[in-house]
Coordinates of all heavy atoms in Angstrom, one line a residue:
M1 N 6.5 -127.7 -124.5 CA 6.1 -126.3 -124.7 C 6.7 -125.5 -125.8 O 6.1 -124.9 -126.6 CB 6.0 -125.6 -123.4 CG 5.1 -124.3 -123.2 SD 3.4 -124.6 -123.6 CE 2.7 -123.7 -122.4
T2 N 8.0 -125.8 -125.7 CA 8.8 -124.9 -126.7 C 8.6 -125.6 -128.2 O 8.4 -124.9 -129.1 CB 10.3 -125.2 -126.4 OG1 10.6 -124.8 -125.1 CG2 11.2 -124.2 -127.4
S3 N 8.3 -126.9 -128.2 CA 8.2 -127.5 -129.6 C 6.9 -127.2 -130.2 O 6.7 -127.0 -131.2 CB 8.4 -129.0 -129.5 OG 7.4 -129.7 -128.7
Q4 N 5.9 -127.1 -129.2 CA 4.6 -126.7 -129.6 C 4.6 -125.1 -130.3 O 4.0 -125.0 -131.4 CB 3.5 -126.6 -128.5 CG 2.8 -128.0 -128.3 CD 1.7 -127.9 -127.3 OE1 1.8 -127.1 -126.4 NE2 0.8 -128.8 -127.3
N5 N 5.3 -124.3 -129.6 CA 5.3 -122.9 -130.0 C 6.0 -122.9 -131.3 O 5.7 -122.1 -132.3 CB 6.1 -122.1 -128.9 CG 5.3 -121.8 -127.8 OD1 4.0 -122.0 -127.8 ND2 6.0 -121.3 -126.6
S6 N 7.1 -123.7 -131.5 CA 7.8 -123.7 -132.8 C 6.9 -124.2 -133.9 O 6.9 -123.5 -134.9 CB 9.2 -124.7 -132.7 OG 9.6 -124.9 -133.9
H7 N 6.2 -125.2 -133.7 CA 5.3 -125.8 -134.7 C 4.2 -124.7 -134.9 O 4.0 -124.6 -136.2 CB 4.6 -127.1 -134.2 CG 3.7 -127.6 -135.1 ND1 4.0 -128.2 -136.4 CD2 2.2 -127.7 -135.2 CE1 2.9 -128.6 -137.1 NE2 1.9 -128.3 -136.4
R8 N 3.7 -124.0 -134.0 CA 2.7 -123.0 -134.3 C 3.3 -121.9 -135.2 O 2.6 -121.5 -136.1 CB 2.2 -122.5 -133.0 CG 1.1 -121.6 -133.1 CD 0.7 -121.0 -131.8 NE -0.4 -120.1 -131.7 CZ -1.7 -120.7 -131.6 NH1 -1.9 -122.1 -131.3 NH2 -2.8 -120.0 -131.7
S9 N 4.4 -121.5 -134.9 CA 5.0 -120.4 -135.8 C 5.4 -120.9 -137.1 O 5.1 -120.1 -138.1 CB 6.3 -119.8 -135.1 OG 7.4 -120.8 -135.5
E10 N 5.6 -122.1 -137.6 CA 5.8 -122.7 -138.7 C 4.4 -122.6 -139.4 O 4.3 -122.2 -140.8 CB 6.2 -124.1 -138.8 CG 7.8 -124.2 -138.6 CD 8.3 -125.7 -138.3 OE1 7.6 -126.6 -139.0 OE2 9.2 -126.0 -137.7
V11 N 3.4 -123.0 -138.8 CA 2.0 -123.0 -139.5 C 1.7 -121.6 -139.9 O 1.2 -121.4 -141.0 CB 1.0 -123.7 -138.5 CG1 -0.5 -123.3 -139.2 CG2 1.2 -125.1 -138.4
V12 N 1.9 -120.7 -139.0 CA 1.6 -119.3 -139.2 C 2.5 -118.7 -140.5 O 2.0 -118.1 -141.4 CB 1.9 -118.3 -138.1 CG1 1.9 -116.9 -138.5 CG2 0.9 -118.5 -137.0
H13 N 3.8 -119.1 -140.5 CA 4.6 -118.8 -141.6 C 4.1 -119.3 -142.9 O 4.2 -118.6 -143.9 CB 6.1 -119.2 -141.3 CG 7.0 -118.8 -142.4 ND1 7.4 -119.7 -143.4 CD2 7.6 -117.7 -142.6 CE1 8.2 -119.1 -144.2 NE2 8.3 -117.9 -143.7
D14 N 3.7 -120.5 -142.9 CA 3.2 -121.2 -144.2 C 1.9 -120.6 -144.7 O 1.8 -120.3 -145.9 CB 2.9 -122.7 -143.9 CG 4.3 -123.5 -143.9 OD1 5.2 -123.0 -144.2 OD2 4.1 -124.8 -143.4
S15 N 1.1 -120.1 -143.8 CA -0.2 -119.5 -144.1 C 0.1 -118.0 -144.8 O -0.5 -117.7 -145.8 CB -1.1 -119.3 -142.9 OG -1.4 -120.5 -142.4
L16 N 1.1 -117.4 -144.1 CA 1.4 -116.2 -144.7 C 2.1 -116.3 -146.1 O 1.8 -115.5 -147.0 CB 2.7 -115.6 -143.8 CG 3.1 -114.1 -144.3 CD1 1.9 -113.2 -144.2 CD2 4.2 -113.6 -143.3
R17 N 2.9 -117.4 -146.3 CA 3.5 -117.5 -147.6 C 2.5 -117.9 -148.7 O 2.5 -117.4 -149.8 CB 4.6 -118.8 -147.5 CG 5.4 -119.1 -148.7 CD 6.3 -117.9 -149.0 NE 6.0 -117.1 -150.0 CZ 6.4 -115.9 -150.1 NH1 7.4 -115.4 -149.5 NH2 6.1 -115.1 -151.2
V18 N 1.5 -118.6 -148.3 CA 0.4 -118.9 -149.2 C -0.4 -117.7 -149.6 O -0.7 -117.4 -150.6 CB -0.6 -120.1 -148.6 CG1 -1.9 -120.2 -149.2 CG2 0.1 -121.4 -148.5
F19 N -0.7 -116.8 -148.5 CA -1.4 -115.6 -148.6 C -0.7 -114.7 -149.7 O -1.1 -114.1 -150.5 CB -1.6 -115.0 -147.3 CG -2.1 -113.5 -147.4 CD1 -3.5 -113.3 -147.8 CD2 -1.2 -112.5 -147.4 CE1 -3.9 -112.0 -147.8 CE2 -1.7 -111.1 -147.4 CZ -3.0 -110.9 -147.6
L20 N 0.8 -114.6 -149.5 CA 1.5 -113.6 -150.2 C 1.6 -114.2 -151.7 O 1.6 -113.5 -152.6 CB 2.9 -113.5 -149.6 CG 3.0 -112.7 -148.4 CD1 4.3 -112.8 -147.7 CD2 2.5 -111.3 -148.6
D21 N 1.7 -115.7 -151.8 CA 1.7 -116.2 -153.2 C 0.4 -115.8 -153.9 O 0.5 -115.6 -155.2 CB 2.1 -117.7 -153.2 CG 3.4 -117.9 -152.8 OD1 4.3 -117.0 -153.0 OD2 3.9 -119.2 -152.5
D22 N -0.6 -116.0 -153.2 CA -2.0 -115.7 -153.8 C -2.1 -114.3 -154.1 O -2.7 -113.9 -155.3 CB -3.0 -116.1 -152.7 CG -4.5 -116.0 -153.4 OD1 -4.8 -116.5 -154.5 OD2 -5.3 -115.3 -152.8
L23 N -1.7 -113.4 -153.3 CA -1.7 -112.1 -153.5 C -0.8 -111.7 -154.9 O -1.3 -110.8 -155.7 CB -1.0 -111.2 -152.3 CG -1.2 -109.7 -152.3 CD1 -2.7 -109.4 -152.0 CD2 -0.4 -109.1 -151.1
A24 N 0.3 -112.3 -154.9 CA 1.2 -112.0 -156.0 C 0.5 -112.4 -157.5 O 0.6 -111.8 -158.4 CB 2.6 -112.7 -155.8
A25 N -0.1 -113.6 -157.3 CA -0.7 -114.2 -158.5 C -1.8 -113.2 -159.0 O -2.0 -113.1 -160.2 CB -1.3 -115.6 -158.3
R26 N -2.7 -112.8 -158.0 CA -3.7 -112.0 -158.4 C -3.2 -110.6 -159.0 O -3.9 -110.0 -159.8 CB -4.8 -111.7 -157.2 CG -5.7 -112.9 -157.1 CD -6.7 -112.8 -156.0 NE -6.0 -113.0 -154.6 CZ -6.3 -112.2 -153.6 NH1 -6.9 -111.0 -153.9 NH2 -5.6 -112.4 -152.5
A27 N -2.2 -110.1 -158.3 CA -1.5 -108.8 -158.7 C -1.0 -109.1 -160.2 O -1.2 -108.0 -160.9 CB -0.4 -108.5 -157.8
A28 N -0.5 -110.1 -160.5 CA 0.1 -110.4 -161.8 C -1.0 -110.3 -162.9 O -0.8 -109.8 -164.0 CB 0.9 -111.6 -161.8
V29 N -2.2 -110.8 -162.5 CA -3.4 -110.9 -163.4 C -3.7 -109.5 -163.7 O -4.0 -109.1 -164.8 CB -4.5 -111.7 -162.8 CG1 -5.8 -111.5 -163.6 CG2 -4.1 -113.2 -162.9
V30 N -3.9 -108.7 -162.6 CA -4.2 -107.2 -162.7 C -3.3 -106.5 -163.6 O -3.7 -105.7 -164.6 CB -4.4 -106.6 -161.3 CG1 -4.6 -105.1 -161.5 CG2 -5.7 -107.2 -160.6
L31 N -2.0 -106.7 -163.4 CA -1.0 -106.0 -164.1 C -1.0 -106.4 -165.6 O -0.5 -105.8 -166.5 CB 0.5 -106.3 -163.6 CG 0.6 -105.4 -162.2 CD1 2.0 -105.8 -161.7 CD2 0.6 -104.0 -162.5
S32 N -1.4 -107.7 -165.9 CA -1.5 -108.1 -167.3 C -2.6 -107.5 -168.1 O -2.7 -107.4 -169.3 CB -1.6 -109.6 -167.5 OG -2.7 -110.1 -166.9
E33 N -3.7 -107.0 -167.3 CA -4.9 -106.4 -168.1 C -4.8 -105.0 -167.9 O -5.2 -104.4 -168.9 CB -6.2 -107.0 -167.2 CG -6.4 -108.5 -167.4 CD -7.5 -109.1 -166.4 OE1 -7.9 -108.3 -165.6 OE2 -8.0 -109.9 -166.6
H34 N -4.3 -104.4 -166.9 CA -4.3 -103.0 -166.7 C -3.0 -102.5 -167.2 O -2.0 -102.5 -166.5 CB -4.5 -102.6 -165.2 CG -5.9 -102.7 -164.9 ND1 -6.7 -101.9 -164.6 CD2 -6.5 -103.9 -164.5 CE1 -8.0 -102.4 -164.2 NE2 -7.8 -103.8 -164.1
I35 N -2.9 -102.2 -168.5 CA -1.5 -101.8 -169.1 C -1.7 -100.5 -169.7 O -2.8 -100.0 -170.1 CB -1.2 -102.9 -170.3 CG1 -2.3 -103.0 -171.2 CG2 -0.7 -104.3 -169.5 CD1 -1.9 -104.0 -172.4
N36 N -0.6 -99.9 -170.0 CA -0.5 -98.5 -170.5 C -0.8 -98.5 -172.0 O -0.2 -99.1 -172.9 CB 0.8 -98.0 -170.3 CG 1.0 -96.5 -170.8 OD1 0.1 -95.9 -171.2 ND2 2.2 -95.9 -170.6
A37 N -1.9 -97.8 -172.4 CA -2.4 -97.7 -173.8 C -2.4 -96.3 -174.1 O -3.5 -95.6 -174.0 CB -3.6 -98.4 -174.1
G38 N -1.2 -95.6 -174.4 CA -1.3 -94.3 -174.8 C -1.7 -93.3 -173.6 O -2.5 -92.5 -173.8
N39 N -1.0 -93.6 -172.5 CA -1.2 -92.8 -171.3 C -2.7 -93.0 -170.7 O -3.1 -92.2 -169.8 CB -1.0 -91.3 -171.5 CG 0.5 -90.9 -171.7 OD1 1.3 -91.5 -171.2 ND2 0.7 -90.0 -172.5
H40 N -3.4 -94.0 -171.2 CA -4.6 -94.3 -170.5 C -4.5 -96.0 -170.4 O -3.7 -96.6 -171.0 CB -5.8 -94.1 -171.4 CG -6.1 -92.6 -171.5 ND1 -5.5 -91.7 -172.1 CD2 -7.1 -92.1 -170.8 CE1 -6.0 -90.6 -172.0 NE2 -6.9 -90.6 -171.2
C41 N -5.2 -96.4 -169.2 CA -5.3 -97.8 -168.9 C -6.2 -98.5 -169.9 O -7.3 -98.2 -170.2 CB -5.8 -98.0 -167.4 SG -6.0 -99.8 -167.0
A42 N -5.6 -99.7 -170.5 CA -6.3 -100.4 -171.5 C -7.6 -101.2 -170.9 O -8.6 -101.4 -171.6 CB -5.3 -101.5 -172.1
A43 N -7.6 -101.4 -169.7 CA -8.6 -102.2 -168.9 C -9.8 -101.1 -168.5 O -11.0 -101.4 -168.6 CB -8.2 -103.1 -167.8
C44 N -9.4 -100.1 -167.7 CA -10.4 -99.3 -167.1 C -10.5 -98.0 -167.7 O -11.4 -97.1 -167.3 CB -10.3 -99.2 -165.5 SG -8.6 -98.6 -165.0
G45 N -9.6 -97.5 -168.6 CA -9.6 -96.3 -169.4 C -9.2 -95.1 -168.5 O -9.4 -94.0 -169.1
L46 N -8.9 -95.1 -167.3 CA -8.3 -94.0 -166.5 C -7.0 -93.6 -166.9 O -6.2 -94.4 -167.7 CB -8.4 -94.4 -165.0 CG -9.6 -94.7 -164.5 CD1 -9.4 -95.2 -163.0 CD2 -10.5 -93.6 -164.4
T47 N -6.5 -92.4 -166.5 CA -5.2 -92.0 -166.9 C -4.2 -92.8 -166.1 O -4.3 -93.3 -165.0 CB -5.0 -90.5 -166.3 OG1 -6.1 -89.7 -166.7 CG2 -3.7 -89.9 -166.7
W48 N -3.1 -93.2 -167.1 CA -2.1 -94.1 -166.6 C -1.1 -93.6 -165.8 O -0.7 -92.3 -166.0 CB -1.3 -94.7 -167.9 CG -0.4 -95.8 -167.3 CD1 1.0 -95.5 -167.4 CD2 -0.7 -97.0 -167.0 NE1 1.5 -96.6 -166.9 CE2 0.6 -97.5 -166.7 CE3 -1.7 -97.8 -167.0 CZ2 0.8 -98.9 -166.2 CZ3 -1.6 -99.1 -166.5 CH2 -0.4 -99.7 -166.3
P49 N -0.6 -94.1 -164.6 CA -1.0 -95.4 -164.2 C -2.3 -95.4 -163.3 O -2.5 -94.6 -162.4 CB 0.1 -96.0 -163.3 CG 0.6 -94.7 -162.7 CD 0.4 -93.7 -163.8
C50 N -3.4 -96.3 -163.6 CA -4.5 -96.3 -162.8 C -4.3 -96.9 -161.4 O -3.4 -97.5 -161.1 CB -5.6 -97.2 -163.6 SG -5.2 -99.0 -163.6
S51 N -5.2 -96.6 -160.6 CA -5.0 -97.1 -159.1 C -5.0 -98.5 -158.9 O -4.2 -99.0 -158.1 CB -6.2 -96.5 -158.3 OG -7.4 -96.9 -158.9
R52 N -5.6 -99.3 -159.8 CA -5.5 -100.7 -159.5 C -4.2 -101.2 -160.0 O -3.6 -102.1 -159.4 CB -6.6 -101.4 -160.5 CG -8.0 -101.3 -160.0 CD -9.0 -102.4 -160.4 NE -8.5 -103.6 -160.0 CZ -9.2 -104.7 -160.3 NH1 -10.2 -104.8 -161.1 NH2 -8.7 -106.0 -159.8
A53 N -3.6 -100.6 -161.1 CA -2.3 -101.1 -161.5 C -1.2 -100.7 -160.5 O -0.3 -101.4 -160.1 CB -1.9 -100.4 -162.8
V54 N -1.3 -99.4 -159.9 CA -0.5 -99.1 -158.7 C -0.5 -99.9 -157.7 O 0.4 -100.5 -157.1 CB -0.7 -97.6 -158.3 CG1 0.0 -97.2 -157.2 CG2 -0.4 -96.7 -159.6
L55 N -1.8 -100.3 -157.2 CA -2.0 -101.2 -156.1 C -1.5 -102.5 -156.2 O -0.7 -103.1 -155.5 CB -3.5 -101.3 -155.7 CG -3.9 -102.1 -154.5 CD1 -3.4 -101.4 -153.2 CD2 -5.5 -102.1 -154.5
A56 N -1.5 -103.1 -157.5 CA -1.1 -104.3 -157.8 C 0.4 -104.4 -157.8 O 0.9 -105.4 -157.5 CB -1.7 -104.8 -159.2
D57 N 1.1 -103.3 -158.3 CA 2.4 -103.2 -158.3 C 2.9 -103.3 -156.9 O 4.0 -103.8 -156.7 CB 2.8 -101.9 -159.1 CG 4.3 -101.9 -159.4 OD1 4.8 -103.0 -159.9 OD2 5.0 -100.9 -159.2
H58 N 2.3 -102.5 -156.0 CA 2.7 -102.5 -154.6 C 2.6 -103.8 -154.0 O 3.5 -104.3 -153.2 CB 1.8 -101.5 -153.8 CG 2.2 -100.1 -154.1 ND1 1.6 -98.9 -153.6 CD2 3.2 -99.6 -154.8 CE1 2.1 -97.9 -154.1 NE2 3.2 -98.2 -154.8
N59 N 1.5 -104.6 -154.3 CA 1.2 -105.9 -153.8 C 2.2 -106.8 -154.3 O 2.8 -107.7 -153.5 CB -0.2 -106.4 -154.2 CG -1.4 -105.8 -153.4 OD1 -1.1 -104.9 -152.5 ND2 -2.5 -105.9 -153.9
L60 N 2.6 -106.7 -155.5 CA 3.5 -107.8 -156.0 C 5.0 -107.4 -155.3 O 5.7 -108.3 -155.0 CB 3.9 -107.4 -157.5 CG 4.2 -108.5 -158.4 CD1 3.5 -109.9 -158.1 CD2 4.3 -108.1 -160.0
E61 N 5.4 -106.1 -155.1 CA 6.6 -105.9 -154.3 C 6.5 -106.3 -153.0 O 7.6 -106.8 -152.3 CB 6.8 -104.3 -154.5 CG 7.4 -103.8 -155.7 CD 7.7 -102.3 -155.7 OE1 8.2 -101.9 -154.5 OE2 7.6 -101.6 -156.7
M62 N 5.4 -106.3 -152.4 CA 5.2 -106.7 -150.9 C 5.4 -108.2 -150.8 O 6.0 -108.8 -150.0 CB 3.9 -106.2 -150.3 CG 3.8 -106.5 -148.8 SD 2.2 -106.0 -148.2 CE 1.2 -107.3 -148.7
A63 N 4.8 -108.9 -151.8 CA 4.8 -110.4 -151.8 C 6.2 -110.9 -152.2 O 6.6 -111.9 -151.5 CB 3.8 -110.9 -152.8
H64 N 6.9 -110.3 -153.1 CA 8.2 -110.7 -153.6 C 9.1 -109.5 -153.6 O 9.6 -109.0 -154.7 CB 8.1 -111.4 -155.0 CG 7.4 -112.7 -154.9 ND1 7.8 -113.8 -154.3 CD2 6.1 -112.9 -155.3 CE1 6.8 -114.7 -154.4 NE2 5.8 -114.3 -155.1
P65 N 9.7 -109.0 -152.4 CA 10.6 -107.9 -152.4 C 11.9 -108.1 -153.0 O 12.3 -109.3 -153.1 CB 10.7 -107.6 -150.9 CG 10.4 -108.9 -150.2 CD 9.4 -109.6 -151.1
Ligands
ZN1 ZN1 -6.7 -99.9 -165.1

């Protein structure tokens, strides 16, 4: 019973790691496109920092603190 529980938690941990790595990879793509171009975002044209860049920055910090 104990070994089953241990195995189960490893699987959950691996899934979380994969999820966070994927999150970080997608956040990095957003941050490479949504860049500051004279106080406006180069991708969406909103006032810098745009909401997508802020969100991606938070995601990156969460994935790799
Ligand atoms: Zn943007």
Side-chain angles (χ1 to χ4, degrees):
M1 198 55 140
T2 308
S3 63
Q4 267 186 339
N5 287 344
S6 169
H7 178 68
R8 190 182 185 88
S9 77
E10 279 175 31
V11 170
V12 170
H13 181 263
D14 286 351
S15 298
L16 181 63
R17 189 66 258 166
V18 168
F19 171 76
L20 290 175
D21 283 347
D22 184 55
L23 192 70
R26 280 182 287 131
V29 170
V30 170
L31 284 175
S32 72
E33 293 171 346
H34 294 253
I35 56 175
N36 187 355
N39 291 326
H40 285 82
C41 176
C44 59
L46 297 176
T47 304
W48 184 257
C50 70
S51 55
R52 291 202 61 185
V54 171
L55 185 65
D57 195 48
H58 288 174
N59 287 350
L60 209 53
E61 281 185 35
M62 188 178 82
H64 295 285

